[in-house]
Structure formats: structure tokens, C-alpha cells
Amino acid sequence: MKDVIISPSVLDADFLHFSDEVNKIKNAGINWIHFDVMDGHFVKNISFGNLFLKTITNRIDLIKDVHIMIEDPLSMVKKYQEAGADYLTFHYEACRDDAEVFEVIDKIHECGMKAGLSIKPGTPVTKVYPFLHSLDLVLIMSVEPGCGGQKFIEQTLQRIFALKTKIRDEEVHTLISVDGGINDETGENCVQMGADILVVGQYLFGHGDFNERVERLLK
Ligand code: DX5
Ligand code: ZN
């Protein structure tokens, strides 16, 4: 069994029967859940936001891994604390400069949440290096953010490996999460390169048996 965390992305889950979807996650022995917030500006789609999350998170006893694909993350940190996020991951590309990235990280920590920083496929992985000592998690996007069900970008593997090497050299404990196009095959490759968390959407919530797919991811 692989030593990896699975964080199911519910973007394409059945929202009409959402408690069934949460039970599938729990019954499979998973204790994380990934929420993708999209604002229609940073990415073209709009998914759901802080007020929606606030109405459900206190009834979901899983680790709430909230990925905000939004502009001006600094102004929204407090709202996502109120919305029940445990991990709050924002985008490097949504910040004006490194000083603002540090400001967002500090604010997330002040609000009692774990801080994650995400980079899009076109952003050099070296851009997150200055923040590693302050971060709990780096989320490497393995597709362009904006929707589920896309194909995994293979160059992501080198990016994970480079980041893992840097994390080891710096002797920090930042977790590496990978998001987009993860299935049993791409997931296996990411774990080999050093990923700690696999964010998985359609592979779990599309067709097929949820438990069997979790087993395949972990085998
Ligand atoms: C994309 C989101 C992902 C995505 C994952 O913008 O951040 O979480 O929905 O879904 P799959 O696994 O279907 O690519
Ligand atoms: Zn995500």
C-alpha cells in the first residue's frame, strides 16, 4: 500500500446527493476532501464560494482542503476560515509580488489554517522556493486550472522531482500535492517522483466503482 494521501476533488461529484458522495469518501477510508473554488476571473468558470462551503463544512468530518482559484486571495482569507477550511491553497499567479505571497501565507496562519501555494503548469517550480519554509503545502497543477477531466501534463513529473529535491535539501516538511488528470497510472508516477497528496476528481467521481478506484490508486 502506497504512503500517499488522496484528496478527492468534488468538482464533478453529484451535488444532488452530496452526502452519499461524502460517505463514499469516508467508507473508502479517506480523510481528506478537496474543494475547488473558481471565481470566473482567475479562471473562466465559476464553481462555488465561501458561503456555500460554510453551509456544509461543519457537517463533514474530513480534512477540508480548499483550493481557491481566485483573484485577490488576501481579501478572502478570513472568509475561508469562516467557511471551515483546514488547508487553504491560493495561487502564486494571483499575487502581485513575493511580498504579497508572504502576506497571504501569514494571514492564513494567523487564521489558524494550514497554508498552501499553487502554481499553474506554465509557472517555473523555482518560484515557490522562497516560501518553502513558511508553507505547509505546495500544490502543483498538472492541468490548466479551470475544470475537471483534463489530461495530465507529463512534464509535471520533473517539476515534482525538482521540488522534492529542494524540500529535502532545505530540510523542510512541506507537502507536495498534485492536481489534475490523476488516475492510477499518472498517480503512481507522481508518487514515485515524491508527491505526498493526490487530488483526484473524475477518476473517482466519474464512472466506475469508487472503492475499487481508491484501491488502484493506493496499490
Ligand atoms: C482543476 C481543479 C482540480 C480538478 C481535478 O482546476 O483544481 O481539482 O477538478 O479533477 P480531475 O481529477 O478530474 O482532473
Ligand atoms: Zn483543485
Side-chain angles (χ1 to χ4, degrees):
M1 168 99 50
K2 275 191 215 107
D3 188 19
V4 65
I5 293 166
I6 296 176
S7 191
S9 160
V10 293
L11 197 56
D12 290 307
D14 181 353
F15 280 91
L16 197 55
H17 303 101
F18 198 65
S19 56
D20 294 345
E21 303 287 54
V22 171
N23 285 332
K24 277 189 208 165
I25 296 173
K26 292 204 304 204
N27 293 338
I30 293 173
N31 56 359
W32 284 52
I33 185 166
H34 184 92
F35 290 104
D36 287 302
V37 174
M38 301 178 181
D39 67 353
H41 295 282
F42 184 76
V43 291
K44 289 281 174 266
N45 283 318
I46 297 176
S47 55
F48 42 74
N50 56 303
L51 291 179
F52 170 82
L53 287 179
K54 197 176 174 182
T55 65
I56 57 169
T57 48
N58 59 357
R59 286 175 290 147
I60 300 175
D61 54 347
L62 294 165
I63 294 168
K64 271 74 84 178
D65 173 27
V66 179
H67 174 196
I68 49 172
M69 286 160 270
I70 65 169
E71 288 180 354
D72 193 15
L74 187 59
S75 68
M76 292 300 287
V77 170
K78 185 92 184 96
K79 304 256 185 216
Y80 283 95
Q81 175 203 31
E82 290 159 8
D86 295 302
Y87 280 79
L88 188 64
T89 298
F90 66 102
H91 269 267
Y92 173 81
E93 302 84 1
C95 295
R96 269 191 311 273
D97 49 29
D98 282 12
E100 191 177 340
V101 175
F102 275 120
E103 230 181 310
V104 182
I105 295 170
D106 287 348
K107 193 154 183 188
I108 293 173
H109 284 146
E110 275 163 35
C111 287
M113 296 177 284
K114 305 265 192 195
L117 182 62
S118 182
I119 43 170
K120 297 205 261 185
T123 302
V125 73
T126 51
K127 296 284 185 191
V128 306
Y129 291 177
F131 314 105
L132 286 179
H133 284 265
S134 315
L135 285 169
D136 299 290
L137 178 156
V138 172
L139 185 148
I140 298 187
M141 288 302 306
S142 38
V143 300
E144 281 302 329
C147 62
Q150 302 180 70
K151 192 176 176 305
F152 181 85
I153 299 170
E154 290 296 327
Q155 290 92 307
T156 308
L157 297 174
Q158 290 94 288
R159 290 154 64 74
I160 299 169
F161 186 71
L163 179 58
K164 192 68 172 190
T165 307
K166 183 71 181 169
I167 284 172
R168 286 196 174 130
D169 289 351
E170 297 280 322
E171 296 181 4
V172 290
H173 300 286
T174 322
L175 297 170
I176 302 179
S177 182
V178 193
D179 187 358
I182 301 291
N183 55 37
D184 52 348
E185 208 179 296
T186 55
E188 160 96 63
N189 296 338
C190 291
V191 172
Q192 270 179 19
M193 290 298 143
D196 304 290
I197 303 165
L198 301 175
V199 176
V200 193
Q202 283 208 1
Y203 182 69
L204 290 176
F205 292 104
H207 302 290
D209 181 77
F210 192 96
N211 281 319
E212 189 215 304
R213 297 217 161 176
V214 170
E215 275 166 30
R216 280 163 164 268
L217 284 165
L218 292 175
K219 128 171 147 249

